[in-house]
Amino acid sequence: MIFGDNREAVIKNIKKAANERNFTAKVEIGDPQMSLDQRLKLVNDYWNKRNTFSSKLNNRIGHLLFGTLSRALAGSTEFVGLENLNNLPIGGAILTSNHYNQVDSLPMKLLANKMHHQLSIVIEDTNLMLPGFFRYLMNYVGTIPLVQSPSYIGNEFPKHLSAALAKNNWVLIYPEQEMWWNYRKPRKLQRGAYYFAAKQNIPVISTFVEIKDLPKIEKKDPNFYETKYIVHVLPPIFPDVSLNANENAHKMMELDYRQKVAAYEKIYGKKLNYDFLDWDIAGWRGHLS
């Protein structure tokens, strides 16, 4: 599915970032630009209004919309490897996935539903200011905004994360950080998700999403085929009680990356190489010179 304009310009940004091995580069065009003070105020206002009547009402509506959208837009998603979750302990967990689409949380919502968990989603703070319908969803589907501020990450963020986990929610964190639209390859991961999992002594549910081209042309843009998603559920990753949080974070992050790379290579029959190929963008019929 295609959301957003300027897809070819975005693909050029992805090509440049991949070839430079800049795996956390922002590649989308037109993302909101805000100062740190503006972002902190935005997120503080978000948390302050959570207990108002209008916010509670909109949260109920938002969760209903999120469930409906999951079934409507991601209902054809296949799930492989669900047996890896058979012996998962009861309780909250961190869920990790590759970040390839503005609505790639929808298949994760379906996965959480299958396992009888609510889904909370960690988002970049500026996503609260996305245009139109996306802004509504970001504000009212149980998101936990993250501000790149040491004081917020050290104090406020863990408090909200703990509150979600205490409800036995799965918390979706994208350790690749930035979204690279329809990018097939797993990127290098950042340690934050694994540090919080270690601090909370909870498992990481590791997934890798395969994006499959369909023979049908997209209605919105003839330069793309429609695509389908297959969620590969990989073995969960548990903290090692003999290690401290920092050591655990690095160990869990490396294991998750290895699992995602192995899944990619098995699924697509290709050795992972970050030199950009047009094939890297799922569904694309075009070509970059």
Side-chain angles (χ1 to χ4, degrees), residues 84-104:
N84 284 316
L85 302 178
N86 286 346
N87 297 316
L88 202 66
I90 295 172
I94 300 290
L95 176 61
T96 68
S97 170
N98 40 326
H99 197 7
Y100 55 87
N101 191 289
Q102 294 92 330
V103 291
D104 54 16

Side-chain angles (χ1 to χ4, degrees), residues 214-233:
L214 298 176
K216 191 174 179 182
I217 303 298
E218 277 278 2
K219 291 178 183 176
K220 184 175 179 180
D221 191 328
N223 292 315
F224 293 91
Y225 291 109
E226 290 186 3
T227 54
K228 178 180 179 177
Y229 306 119
I230 302 174
V231 176
H232 294 264
V233 180

Side-chain angles (χ1 to χ4, degrees), residues 243-268:
L243 301 177
N244 64 36
N246 210 28
E247 293 166 334
N248 256 315
H250 286 287
K251 182 178 178 181
M252 296 169 80
M253 179 183 70
E254 289 301 323
L255 178 53
D256 197 12
Y257 178 66
R258 290 199 302 272
Q259 289 191 167
K260 286 171 166 53
V261 169
Y264 165 85
E265 293 181 344
K266 181 179 179 182
I267 291 160
Y268 294 114

Side-chain angles (χ1 to χ4, degrees), residues 10-25 27 180 183 185 187 273-281 288-289:
V10 168
I11 293 168
K12 286 179 180 177
N13 288 342
I14 293 173
K15 177 180 180 179
K16 181 176 184 294
N19 287 338
E20 292 174 354
R21 307 303 192 256
N22 184 6
F23 297 114
T24 58
V27 297
W180 284 17
Y183 187 70
K185 294 173 179 175
R187 287 176 277 148
N273 182 331
Y274 287 116
D275 293 340
F276 184 85
L277 301 170
D278 293 333
W279 174 89
D280 293 351
I281 307 301
L288 291 182
S289 57

